[in-house]
């Protein structure tokens, strides 16, 4: 563990302290208990100086590292100008790279896919991560311009989608996107996947090898496997030996996070103009233009809904862009859940998520035109989770393509969201040992 790692970790701790979950008086309204009254889980007030503490900590790191400019010192963002996807991959995967600040290790090499001490393989390969369409939509185009509502072909009726294929105006919207999309997520026809004894291109369409179901749409699976049309690729890649003799680790903290911590704090103290360059440096690593150049109209790619009732950022657009960048950059690196908690994103916990039903287009003769590049698509609402808003027993029918019979999706309850979910419950078996633990509010 290095001094650089310690200084970087300090910025994360102080960012938590400055965020509305703790830096407020009203987070636990109606849930008063000893943890609240003793100010164990809240400061009991809002103080903008807590954001200044984050800035001070970030600048302490940066000044020791080489100065207040991106990529100006010993630690720099990992780069690969000839392959932006590999620039990103090297940043989180390689133990020894220019931006790794805290690396945690359990073994030297993972010797098999299900190695219990390298959980990313088992976690992702066996569908432990279901990637929703909402996340895929958050990735911009390759040059950094936003992926807008008008860009989504599934917003059009099936007949219009078919016509675009037939008159050759069809555009595969999964191509030429932010390189992190294909690195993080399996996309149909864009990456290989291991299938014993060889490999094949990923098939996330209905009837495809990975999506399952009947290709004619009459037997669509909604409760098992890769039901969203996508699945997690990060850390496992194509499952075809990329890990052979590669030292394994977990990227606990990277320089990228410190840059974005700094940018967020700058926005919260009215220094947004200084914050842009730090976010732009993260985007530049994967070949994207600066935010304001790529998106001068400040179109919002809606992904995160922070609670600004405690304190409003000086640039609301940029603050949301920072949270979006964090979601794209740190996919399954254990950053996103804490961002949602510290910004009290109740709306994001309560909102329903979506999958994408994808059909490989067939011509009038029933022949597939190109099962990896031409699709007819339809979004659908995923089954609700416990905390999400529901309709208490109401059935939702899904009209399918090619006359497919869609099973009925029923919400078994209304939403059960509570702010108590921002913090974990402490096991009662520990509290009764009476060594000082106090239960979190609401539990």
């Amino acid at each position: 563990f290095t001094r650089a790692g310690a200084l970087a970790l300090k910025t994360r701790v102080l960012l938590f302290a400055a965020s509305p979950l703790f830096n407020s008086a009203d987070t636990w309204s109606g849930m008063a208990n000893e943890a609240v009254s003793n100010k164990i889980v809240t400061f009991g007030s809002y103080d903008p100086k807590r954001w200044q503490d984050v800035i001070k900590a970030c600048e302490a790191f940066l000044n020791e590292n080489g100065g207040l400019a991106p990529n100006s010192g010993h630690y720099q963002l990992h780069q690969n100008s000839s392959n932006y996807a590999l620039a990103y991959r090297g940043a989180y995967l390689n133990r020894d790279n220019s931006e790794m600040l805290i690396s945690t290790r359990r073994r030297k090499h993972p010797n098999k896919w299900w190695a219990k001490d390298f959980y990313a393989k088992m976690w992702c390969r066996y569908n432990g991560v279901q990637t929703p369409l909402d996340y895929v939509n958050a990735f911009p185009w390759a040059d950094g311009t936003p992926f807008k509502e008008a860009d989504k072909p599934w917003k059009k009726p099936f007949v219009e989608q078919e016509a675009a294929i037939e008159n050759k105006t069809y555009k595969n919207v999964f191509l030429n996107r932010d390189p992190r999309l294909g690195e993080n997520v399996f996309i149909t026809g864009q990456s290989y996947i291991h299938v014993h004894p060889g490999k094949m291109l990923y098939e996330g369409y209905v009837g495809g090898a990975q999506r399952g179901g009947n290709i004619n749409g009459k037997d669509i699976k909604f409760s098992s496997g890769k039901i969203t049309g996508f699945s997690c690729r990060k850390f496992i890649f194509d499952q075809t030996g990329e890990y052979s003799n590669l030292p394994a680790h977990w990227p606990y903290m990277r320089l990228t996070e410190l840059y974005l911590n700094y940018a967020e704090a700058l926005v919260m103290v009215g220094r947004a103009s200084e914050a842009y360059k730090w976010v732009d440096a993260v985007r530049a690593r994967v070949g994207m233009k600066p935010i304001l150049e790529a998106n001068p109209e400040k179109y919002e790619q809606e992904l995160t809904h922070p609670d600004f009732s405690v304190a409003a950022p000086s640039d609301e657009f940029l603050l949301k862009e920072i949270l979006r960048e964090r979601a794209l950059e740190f996919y399954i690196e254990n950053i996103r859940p804490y961002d949602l908690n510290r910004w009290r994103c109740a709306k994001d916990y309560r909102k329903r998520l979506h999958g994408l039903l994808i059909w490989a287009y067939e011509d009038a003769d029933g022949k597939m035109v190109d099962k990896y590049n031409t699709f007819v698509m339809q979004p659908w609402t995923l089954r609700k989770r416990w905390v999400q808003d529901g309709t208490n027993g109401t059935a939702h029918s899904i009209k399918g393509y090619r006359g497919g019979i869609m099973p009925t999706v029923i919400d078994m309850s209304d939403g059960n969201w509570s702010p108590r979910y921002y913090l974990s419950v402490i096991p009662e078996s520990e509290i009764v040992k009476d060594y000082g633990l106090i239960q979190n509010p609401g539990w």
Side-chain angles (χ1 to χ4, degrees), residues 250-354:
W250 181 256
Y252 188 81
M253 188 159 192
R254 304 193 269 124
L255 183 65
T256 323
E257 183 185 344
L258 186 136
Y259 281 10
L260 296 177
N261 291 350
Y262 188 39
E264 183 177 325
L266 288 172
V267 173
M268 293 305 297
V269 300
R271 295 166 59 184
S273 60
E274 300 173 56
Y276 276 94
K277 67 179 179 182
W278 299 96
V279 187
D280 289 340
V282 175
R283 292 165 59 90
R285 188 248 292 286
V286 289
M288 295 194 295
K289 298 175 183 176
I291 295 175
L292 294 180
E293 181 181 343
N295 189 9
E297 74 274 27
K298 295 187 176 182
Y299 178 90
E300 183 180 329
Q301 293 175 273
E302 188 168 309
L303 180 66
T304 309
H305 301 82
D307 180 355
F308 293 143
S309 63
V310 174
S314 60
D315 187 330
E316 183 174 318
F317 165 75
L318 180 55
L319 192 282
K320 290 182 178 179
E321 279 293 288
I322 291 169
L323 292 175
R324 187 179 63 82
E325 278 295 324
R326 292 171 71 94
L328 306 190
E329 177 75 19
F330 301 119
Y331 180 60
I332 73 164
E333 289 185 51
N334 215 26
I335 298 292
R336 174 71 171 172
Y338 295 104
D339 285 349
L340 294 180
N341 288 347
R342 64 189 181 82
W343 272 104
R344 310 194 310 187
C345 297
K347 184 175 180 178
D348 294 300
Y349 280 113
R350 296 176 62 178
K351 71 185 180 186
R352 298 295 289 273
L353 300 175
H354 303 85

Side-chain angles (χ1 to χ4, degrees), residues 108-281:
K108 183 177 181 182
H109 302 292
N111 60 351
K112 50 192 175 184
W113 282 113
W114 50 90
K116 66 180 182 302
D117 46 4
F118 192 63
Y119 82 99
K121 288 190 172 184
M122 186 172 184
W123 203 43
C124 301
R125 187 181 188 191
Y126 297 104
N127 308 317
V129 176
Q130 294 287 326
T131 307
L133 175 63
D134 312 70
Y135 180 68
V136 173
N137 286 343
F139 287 86
W141 295 102
D143 64 355
T145 55
F147 184 67
K148 299 181 179 181
E149 286 295 298
D151 295 324
K152 301 172 183 176
W154 48 86
K155 291 288 185 178
K156 300 177 181 178
F158 291 141
V159 64
E160 291 186 29
Q161 296 184 53
E162 291 176 313
I165 297 172
E166 292 162 0
N167 63 29
K168 301 188 185 304
T169 60
Y170 175 83
K171 179 181 181 180
N172 186 343
V173 295
F174 302 121
L175 295 175
N176 301 313
R177 298 280 290 279
D178 179 340
R180 294 173 295 187
L181 173 58
E183 185 68 18
N184 289 346
V185 180
F186 274 115
I187 302 293
T188 295
Q190 302 308 310
S191 48
Y192 285 92
I193 189 166
H194 173 70
V195 178
H196 185 76
K199 64 180 181 178
M200 65 178 293
L201 283 169
Y202 185 83
E203 296 181 354
Y205 55 82
V206 175
Q210 281 68 55
R211 178 59 174 81
N214 192 304
I215 200 165
N216 64 12
K218 293 182 179 179
D219 178 26
I220 298 177
K221 298 181 182 300
F222 281 85
S223 60
S224 63
K226 300 169 177 63
I227 59 172
T228 67
F230 312 96
S231 58
C232 175
R233 184 171 181 261
K234 191 172 185 178
F235 290 109
I236 64 170
F237 311 115
D238 299 340
Q239 306 173 359
T240 53
E242 295 92 341
Y243 269 105
S244 298
N245 299 313
L246 180 68
H249 84 131
W250 181 256
Y252 188 81
M253 188 159 192
R254 304 193 269 124
L255 183 65
T256 323
E257 183 185 344
L258 186 136
Y259 281 10
L260 296 177
N261 291 350
Y262 188 39
E264 183 177 325
L266 288 172
V267 173
M268 293 305 297
V269 300
R271 295 166 59 184
S273 60
E274 300 173 56
Y276 276 94
K277 67 179 179 182
W278 299 96
V279 187
D280 289 340

Side-chain angles (χ1 to χ4, degrees), residues 5-115:
L7 288 174
L9 186 59
K10 183 178 181 179
T11 73
R12 180 190 287 180
V13 174
L14 291 174
L15 189 74
F16 273 53
S19 299
L21 181 64
F22 303 113
N23 191 12
S24 67
D26 65 348
T27 297
W28 311 111
S29 298
M31 295 184 180
N33 72 351
E34 189 178 352
V36 177
S37 59
N38 289 350
K39 297 183 180 178
I40 296 172
V41 293
T42 177
F43 286 108
S45 63
Y46 176 77
D47 188 344
K49 291 181 180 178
R50 294 183 182 117
W51 291 106
Q52 295 287 359
D53 291 339
V54 180
I55 292 172
K56 183 179 178 180
C58 289
E59 291 180 348
F61 175 96
L62 293 167
N63 284 323
E64 284 201 39
N65 187 52
L68 297 181
N71 300 317
S72 61
H74 175 77
Y75 289 95
Q76 301 186 17
L77 300 188
H78 181 266
Q79 307 285 345
N80 185 330
S81 58
S82 62
N83 190 315
Y84 293 125
L86 292 184
Y88 173 60
R89 179 185 298 187
Y92 70 82
L93 183 69
N94 298 342
R95 282 183 175 183
D96 183 17
N97 74 68
S98 60
E99 71 172 80
M100 193 59 59
L101 296 169
I102 303 177
S103 166
T104 58
R105 305 139 189 228
R106 182 87 183 269
R107 69 182 303 140
K108 183 177 181 182
H109 302 292
N111 60 351
K112 50 192 175 184
W113 282 113
W114 50 90

Side-chain angles (χ1 to χ4, degrees), residues 165 360-371 374 402:
I165 297 172
Y361 175 72
E362 296 177 354
D363 61 20
D365 297 324
K367 181 181 179 181
M368 282 189 182
V369 174
D370 182 347
K371 68 178 181 179
T374 52
R402 299 175 185 154

